[in-house]
Amino acid sequence: MGFVDIRDGNPLKTILSEGGVAVGMFLRLPGMELAELCAHAGCDFLLIDMEHSTITWERAGVMALAAESAGTVPVLRLSNPARDLITRALDIGAHGVMVAQVETPATARAVVAATRYGSGGTRGTAGGRRTGFGLRMPLGEFTEAANRATFVSVQIESVEAVRNVGSIAAVPGIDCILAGLSDLTVDLGVSGEWDHPSVVSCAMEIQAACDANGIAFGVPAPDAAFAARYVARGARLIACGDVGLFGRAMRTFVEGVKRSGE
C-alpha cells in the first residue's frame, strides 16, 4: 500500500457513521509485526496503548505505519488530554486518539480542541507524516481534511463520569465513547466483575447517552461471546486486548497438549 491520503476520509469513522460495528484490538505489546498481523486478520482499527504499556513514541509511530500499510486504522490511546500528547500522536501518524479517564464535558471539549486546527482548535501545526512530510499536499488542504477525518474517542471509567455522560456525549466532535469496564468495576467495588449488574447498568447509561447524541458506544471485550452480548445492547465499537487474547490462547494450547499426553 502506498501513501494513505487523509483527504479520502477515515474508514473507521465511515463504519461508525453508517451504523456498522467496528472490531479491533488494544495493542499493549510493542511490535510492528503484531500490528501488521492484527491488520491482516481483519481488524477495522488498532488501539496502540500508550497508557498501560512500554510502547515508546518511536515504537508507536512504527506500529501506526505498519497498521496503516496493512490496511487498518491506527488510533493511539492516551492517558490524559494534554494538548502536546494529542498533537504528537496525530503527527506521528495516528488516524485518531482515544483519551482515558474523561470525567467532565470540559475535558471532552479539550480533547476535541486538541485534534482540531483553526478556530476553536488548539492542535499545533507541522507538516508530519500524514502530509507526506509536506510533499503530498498543501498545508491548507491537510488541515481541512484532518479536521474532518480525525477519529476522536473518550473513555468513561468512573461513577462520576457516568453521572456526566449526557453532557460529555453532547460535546461536538466526539465520535465514540468507550466504557472503561475494568476501571468501572473497581470504582463500583466489584473489581473484575464485568457482568455485574451495577457495571452493566453504568454501561447502559453510557450507551443511552451515545444513542441520544448520534455517536458510537464502545466496549472492550475479552471474547466473542461477551462482545455479542454488547452488540445486542447497542455497542458499535468492540476491542479485545492482545495480552488477554494471546495469553488465553496459549494456555488453551498448552493445556490441550498436556492433556493429550496423559
Side-chain angles (χ1 to χ4, degrees), residues 135-146:
L135 301 174
R136 290 284 192 160
M137 70 184 79
L139 185 61
E141 290 186 24
F142 169 73
T143 54
E144 291 180 8

Side-chain angles (χ1 to χ4, degrees), residues 150-212:
T150 299
F151 172 75
V152 181
S153 177
V154 299
Q155 289 184 246
I156 298 293
E157 303 184 83
S158 68
V159 174
E160 178 63 22
V162 174
R163 293 192 188 103
N164 294 327
V165 70
S167 54
I168 292 171
V171 171
I174 299 290
D175 296 301
C176 173
I177 293 178
L178 185 128
L181 299 181
S182 287
D183 285 274
L184 277 169
T185 69
V186 173
D187 205 31
L188 289 163
V190 292
S191 297
E193 298 182 45
W194 286 21
D195 282 318
H196 191 280
S198 63
V199 178
V200 175
S201 176
C202 284
M204 292 301 88
E205 285 189 55
I206 298 168
Q207 184 269 333
C210 288
D211 275 5

